[in-house]
Amino acid sequence: MVCVYMNPNSPIEARVKDLLSRMSLKEKIGQMTQIERSIATPSAIKDFGIGSVFSGPGNGPFESALSSDWADMVDGFQKSALESRLRIPLIYGIDAVHGNNSIYGATIFHHNVGLGATRDADLAQRIGAATALEVKASGIHYTFAPCVAVCRDPRWGRCYESFGEGTDIVRKMSSIVSGLQGQCPEGHQHGYPFVAGRSNVIACAKHFVGDGGTEKGISEGNTVLSYDDLERIHMAPYLDCISQGVSTIMATYSCWNGRRVHSIHFLLTEILKEKLGFKGFVISDWEGLDQLCEPYGSDYSYCILTGISAGIDMVMVPLRYELFVEELTSLVESGEVSMTRIDDAVERILRVKFAAGLFEFPLTDRSLLDLVGCKKHRDIAREAVRKSLVLLKNGKDQSKPFLPLNRKAKRILVAGIHADDLGCQCGGWTITKYGSSGRITIGTTLLDAIKEATGDETEIIYEQNPSKETVERDDISFAIVAIGEAPYAESRGDNSELVIPSNGLDTISTVAHKIPTLVILISGRPLVLEPWLLEKIDALVAAWLPGTEAQGITDVIFGDYDFKGQLPMTWLRRVEDLDQPTNRVKPHDPLFPLGFGLTYTKD
């Protein structure tokens, strides 16, 4: 007879109950264990019954591996899982936070801050659906996305992972969940995990909760707020994700009023699971449990006891899994962790696996490979760039707008370190965690796009740092200068000054002194714009971190489309404004308010 849990026609809860009844303690704890691919061996997966494997940033089968290579690797791990006693498939996860960004040749979409500037929920959903297809083509089932943090301080190194400073903006853009997982049918049970089919992936709303509200924007810092404010500002987007059937939620590294959230039963269990009705699983962040003691990871048994008791269901161990299994087993056998808590965690994990169809379709659907980096997806990415651009200045005289530019101009100077740098254009979490400069994947730089958008009769002069001789020419119609931040991620992006790097300012100063200049700012957040800079340049566009399709920029600056973007964050005058005791988020006298954005046409 076929076991109930192997029968796809049986209700999910019946399958969960049947499989759980057949599992040993070792197999249950194995399901709660997520390990990094660098230490994942066939024997470890099979013998420990590992529930999930994931690739840390940049950790693929080999450098510049294609989606087909990833599929081969993931299927290999999956086949090991299917050789275990109960043949429970594993979930393979990755940080696909703006497209399947770790994989060479995939479409790299705008980072979330740029999507927040669009205010376009339908666009976010379509980006989620396209990302899901490219993730599944690589054999991967699970993305640690979306980040639904409400970023209250641009000094935070993860600012660009947030859709904006306004809770309403983040709630609106959480529609990306329905793109990743598919649209829940009418009448779907609230809080129950939902994955529509083989073209969709398991999503993860993160990082619960308050990670965007830490003091001075310090990564993994302390969010000091009453519960009412935490709920109103930072928790609200999770309600939208849960209502869309989000399957998993990741706990934040940060603290709430001095306590690590990974250890707070009130938030993870009483609020998230009981009050909000979330029925998927809660996953820790990388070594999130290790942070629960001092020195870091020293009393591992205490860390595990605290985290599991608080409500963590799956633990991103990610390396010392044998010790994790040993210690958690001991805690259960001693009665310090109850079997009820273990069974609750495993039920949640199995529920997601059944909902995602992993038992029926554990291996890669290779027919999806042709969709990776396809024109349709790149067109969506290009559309997102067009809609995200925020026009901050257009002409030194309001009656004489500088934009749109003339694509038939005789001679155009293109300058700045970001003008022909795909890596800088994509930002962090691209191929590797921290990103890098250069042609790191397949895409179109701003310089490429300008050449494509202008006619054969237009001469494009490109000098990253223009010479004196070039700047003093009197036959250049105008200049396009692209400057901004180098790629970064997480705490390496924490920035207490928020100034434009000096090489960018030097280029603007040199060029704009002699030539009418459009400045395009490539950054993950608002940066301080000195008065002299604003006075000197003719036009300024905030392009955020647009990804691989820079044609979206030229579509707008040459006038094929109008500007639509609105600031997702208040644009400060001075960093000191962020520390005003009465209004830390919105300075009394911002340079540009939340929602600001000029257009070619006036209502």
Side-chain angles (χ1 to χ4, degrees):
M1 282 183 63
V2 176
C3 301
V4 172
Y5 81 88
M6 295 300 288
N7 181 1
N9 297 317
S10 296
I12 287 178
E13 289 306 300
R15 299 176 78 182
V16 169
K17 183 177 180 181
D18 178 62
L19 179 51
L20 190 71
S21 72
R22 300 171 187 274
M23 297 174 70
S24 66
L25 175 60
K26 180 180 179 180
E27 288 166 329
K28 291 176 180 178
I29 291 175
Q31 286 300 300
M32 297 171 67
T33 308
Q34 185 182 66
I35 64 176
E36 214 282 327
R37 70 154 294 275
S38 61
I39 52 97
T41 63
S43 59
I45 293 169
K46 178 182 175 181
D47 297 344
F48 284 83
I50 295 296
S52 181
V53 177
F54 75 106
S55 278
N59 197 349
F62 50 83
E63 188 174 351
S64 298
L66 301 176
S67 293
S68 56
D69 303 312
W70 281 79
D72 291 341
M73 178 188 73
V74 175
D75 282 353
F77 288 129
Q78 189 68 284
K79 288 172 183 175
S80 296
L82 298 175
E83 291 175 359
S84 62
R85 183 178 75 91
L86 294 170
R87 307 191 303 282
I88 304 174
L90 58 80
I91 296 172
Y92 201 99
I94 199 166
D95 288 282
V97 298
H98 61 138
N100 200 8
N101 45 262
S102 295
I103 297 182
Y104 185 86
T107 309
I108 307 299
F109 293 94
H110 223 310
H111 268 298
N112 286 352
V113 67
L115 297 185
T118 73
R119 308 293 204 277
D120 191 332
D122 174 71
L123 175 64
Q125 185 171 347
R126 287 186 285 126
I127 287 173
T131 298
L133 288 167
E134 297 203 18
V135 170
K136 287 301 285 285
S138 63
I140 296 169
H141 321 106
Y142 181 23
T143 173
F144 305 120
C147 176
V148 290
V150 178
C151 179
R152 307 296 268 187
D153 194 317
R155 290 174 289 192
W156 187 36
R158 304 188 85 139
C159 178
Y160 63 76
E161 296 185 48
S162 167
F163 293 111
E165 76 177 38
T167 302
D168 289 346
I169 298 172
V170 179
R171 295 190 71 171
K172 184 174 186 179
M173 302 308 288
S174 73
S175 59
I176 196 169
V177 170
S178 290
L180 292 166
Q181 295 193 158
Q183 188 83 43
C184 286
E186 189 174 343
H188 181 76
Q189 183 183 346
H190 174 78
Y192 204 87
F194 176 79
V195 181
R198 298 186 70 184
S199 298
N200 297 98
V201 293
I202 297 163
C204 179
K206 65 182 188 183
H207 308 82
F208 191 84
V209 59
D211 51 332
T214 60
E215 293 183 306
K216 296 185 182 295
I218 296 172
S219 289
E220 304 174 27
N222 188 26
T223 298
V224 180
L225 280 178
S226 67
Y227 173 75
D228 287 346
D229 284 343
L230 184 74
E231 182 180 63
R232 176 178 58 85
I233 298 168
H234 298 283
M235 199 177 294
Y238 289 91
L239 275 69
D240 298 271
C241 294
I242 291 169
S243 70
Q244 294 173 74
V246 74
S247 296
T248 76
I249 291 177
M250 183 181 288
T252 178
Y253 281 132
S254 59
C255 297
W256 177 47
N257 295 331
R259 291 182 60 200
R260 293 276 182 194
V261 172
H262 274 72
S263 71
I264 303 179
H265 181 273
F266 170 71
L267 290 178
L268 299 182
T269 298
E270 294 177 45
I271 298 300
L272 178 57
K273 294 180 178 179
E274 295 172 3
K275 180 179 178 180
L276 302 186
F278 175 61
K279 295 177 176 61
F281 67 78
V282 176
I283 187 169
S284 79
D285 210 331
W286 175 292
E287 293 185 347
L289 299 194
D290 299 59
Q291 295 188 342
L292 302 182
C293 64
E294 295 289 346
Y296 183 98
S298 55
D299 188 346
Y300 200 32
S301 180
Y302 168 81
C303 293
I304 295 168
L305 171 63
T306 304
I308 298 298
S309 298
I312 300 293
D313 301 310
M314 181 178 282
V315 178
M316 190 184 290
V317 176
L319 303 176
R320 49 180 182 170
Y321 67 92
E322 291 176 288
L323 180 60
F324 170 77
V325 170
E326 178 185 333
E327 294 286 6
L328 182 52
T329 301
S330 177
L331 288 166
V332 175
E333 290 176 343
S334 68
E336 293 175 86
V337 173
S338 70
M339 277 304 303
T340 301
R341 172 77 271 268
I342 296 296
D343 286 348
D344 172 62
V346 178
E347 283 176 357
R348 291 170 175 274
I349 293 164
L350 296 178
R351 183 177 294 134
V352 170
K353 291 187 175 187
F354 284 121
L358 287 179
F359 283 80
E360 287 69 56
F361 303 106
L363 301 178
T364 306
D365 179 357
R366 306 281 171 145
S367 70
L368 300 176
L369 284 169
D370 289 342
L371 298 176
V372 176
C374 68
K375 184 179 184 302
K376 180 180 178 181
H377 293 174
R378 292 185 184 275
D379 284 347
I380 296 171
R382 181 173 178 170
E383 176 189 350
V385 176
R386 283 200 301 267
K387 292 180 173 179
S388 72
L389 302 176
V390 179
L391 180 57
L392 298 175
K393 179 180 180 179
N394 189 15
K396 292 179 179 178
D397 183 339
Q398 289 187 351
S399 65
K400 297 178 181 178
F402 186 67
L403 300 177
L405 301 174
N406 178 12
R407 69 173 72 245
K408 295 182 179 180
K410 182 177 180 181
R411 194 166 284 108
I412 302 172
L413 172 63
V414 179
I417 60 173
H418 287 64
D420 193 33
D421 194 316
L422 194 61
C424 286
Q425 195 172 289
C426 292
W429 296 105
T430 307
I431 305 303
T432 61
K433 177 176 180 176
Y434 298 107
S436 60
S437 64
R439 294 271 177 174
I440 59 175
T441 188
I442 298 170
T444 303
T445 67
L446 177 60
L447 178 63
D448 295 333
I450 292 169
K451 290 178 177 178
E452 182 182 310
T454 52
D456 294 337
E457 296 179 2
T458 299
E459 179 185 355
I460 305 298
I461 301 171
Y462 170 62
E463 294 182 15
Q464 188 179 102
N465 301 296
S467 66
K468 181 180 178 181
E469 292 74 20
T470 298
V471 171
E472 291 184 347
R473 292 177 59 163
D474 60 7
D475 59 352
I476 295 176
S477 303
F478 54 82
I480 301 172
V481 178
I483 61 165
E485 298 182 295
Y488 57 84
E490 296 188 350
S491 58
R492 288 194 191 179
D494 286 1
N495 187 329
S496 62
E497 297 180 340
L498 297 179
V499 296
I500 297 171
S502 59
N503 48 12
L505 294 177
D506 291 345
T507 302
I508 292 172
S509 182
T510 299
V511 173
H513 182 64
K514 293 286 187 178
I515 304 171
T517 300
L518 161 65
V519 170
I520 296 176
L521 183 60
I522 308 290
S523 68
R525 52 196 161 192
L527 301 175
V528 174
L529 300 171
E530 298 291 349
W532 70 262
L533 183 150
L534 286 172
E535 291 170 6
K536 202 165 194 176
I537 64 177
D538 295 86
L540 175 63
V541 173
W544 315 108
L545 297 170
T548 51
E549 311 309 308
Q551 306 99 314
I553 299 175
T554 52
D555 285 343
V556 179
I557 64 174
F558 286 109
D560 293 334
Y561 294 83
D562 200 349
F563 283 90
K564 288 190 173 182
Q566 299 174 288
L567 287 180
M569 305 191 70
T570 303
W571 204 293
L572 66 163
R573 289 184 186 273
R574 302 164 295 273
V575 171
E576 293 76 19
D577 294 341
L578 294 167
D579 294 319
Q580 293 179 36
T582 56
N583 197 338
R584 181 164 61 92
V585 179
K586 297 180 181 178
H588 297 299
D589 183 29
L591 185 61
F592 302 108
L594 175 70
F596 181 86
L598 302 173
T599 63
Y600 293 142
T601 57
K602 295 182 179 179
D603 293 335

